[in-house]
Amino acid sequence: MNLADEYGRLCRTPSDINEHLPTFVALVQRLNAKHVIELGTRSGVSTTAWLHGLSKTGGRLTSVDIDEAPDIATHDDWTFLQGDDCDPDITVQLDPADIVFIDTSHTYLQTVAELYLYRWLVKPGGLMVLHDTELAHPQDAPIRPAYPVKTAIEEFIADTGYEWTNHRNNNGLGIIEGF
Ligand SMILES: C[S@@+](CC[C@H](N)C(=O)[O-])C[C@H]1O[C@@H](n2cnc3c(N)ncnc32)[C@H](O)[C@@H]1O
């Protein structure tokens, strides 16, 4: 199945993220993005959407996951790095990106660390995109704070003066602008 067909199939298949896939493609096209960094791939649902969007702009995707690469077709414009996304051995390999997408453990401390580390890898005019803003208690996250991703974003916004919008559907998608 080619990339466009697989993207269409994933959009139609209910999942914890499928409703946001067209937003990923629209953001890539809006920015004419040439590089996206994706943190957290799992089986490659969001990976496929980013790749599909970037196929329209001639851009490339760099994905990071602590686990092995998702079992999807390889693409010339896709680089997969296995490791902890806050490990300097990983971050030293990353070029600045138009969009940094964060979808990893969803714990408060991890999200804070990712926001403050990866803000420096967002190009001027770029975006950070975070999934699961509307998850009150993500699996394996401490009971407090509730809504750890949203809490981390709100504190980051208060500290930096950036702006964010929140799409509440499908577990929530936060989009931070002002870089
Ligand atoms: C919710 S899943 C990602 C879902 C994926 N974006 C999708 O569309 O299907 C979270 C992923 O983050 C990865 N992960 C968790 N902590 C991580 C870390 N510190 N560094 C890199 N990846 C991490 C997990 O291995 C898992 O694959």
Side-chain angles (χ1 to χ4, degrees):
M1 194 180 285
N2 70 30
L3 189 58
D5 290 344
E6 180 62 0
Y7 166 75
R9 187 187 71 78
L10 292 171
C11 286
R12 293 188 301 273
T13 305
S15 71
D16 66 340
I17 197 167
N18 70 301
E19 293 173 22
H20 298 302
L21 304 185
T23 302
F24 298 162
V25 174
L27 290 174
V28 167
Q29 292 193 283
R30 190 181 104 194
L31 270 60
N32 192 25
K34 301 300 182 198
H35 185 212
V36 172
I37 295 173
E38 175 191 47
L39 308 176
T41 61
R42 196 172 51 195
S43 60
V45 177
S46 53
T47 310
T48 300
W50 291 118
L51 283 169
H52 178 62
L54 289 162
S55 72
K56 299 172 184 293
T57 62
R60 64 189 177 93
L61 176 68
T62 305
S63 302
V64 179
D65 200 290
I66 208 159
D67 287 342
E68 289 180 3
D71 186 18
I72 61 174
T74 57
H75 295 272
D76 291 343
D77 298 322
W78 182 40
T79 301
F80 177 83
L81 302 174
Q82 185 174 5
D84 186 319
D85 62 359
C86 291
D87 185 333
D89 287 346
I90 292 293
T91 54
V92 75
Q93 299 181 60
L94 298 170
D95 296 323
D98 303 280
I99 299 171
V100 172
F101 171 62
I102 301 177
D103 189 15
T104 62
S105 70
H106 311 118
T107 64
Y108 171 78
L109 286 177
Q110 179 71 21
T111 306
V112 169
E114 290 165 341
L115 285 168
Y116 280 89
L117 187 54
Y118 279 88
R119 65 179 288 196
W120 304 113
L121 281 167
V122 180
K123 292 181 192 172
L127 304 171
M128 292 181 104
V129 178
L130 294 91
H131 190 220
D132 290 323
T133 52
E134 294 299 323
L135 272 189
H137 297 291
Q139 194 179 5
D140 300 328
I143 193 74
R144 290 183 188 170
Y147 298 97
V149 174
K150 184 156 56 180
T151 301
I153 293 173
E154 287 172 340
E155 293 175 359
F156 181 68
I157 294 297
D159 183 30
T160 60
Y162 298 145
E163 296 179 350
W164 81 296
T165 51
N166 188 24
H167 299 207
R168 295 186 185 278
N169 59 308
N170 214 188
N171 299 314
L173 190 78
I175 300 173
I176 304 175
E177 306 192 47
F179 294 88

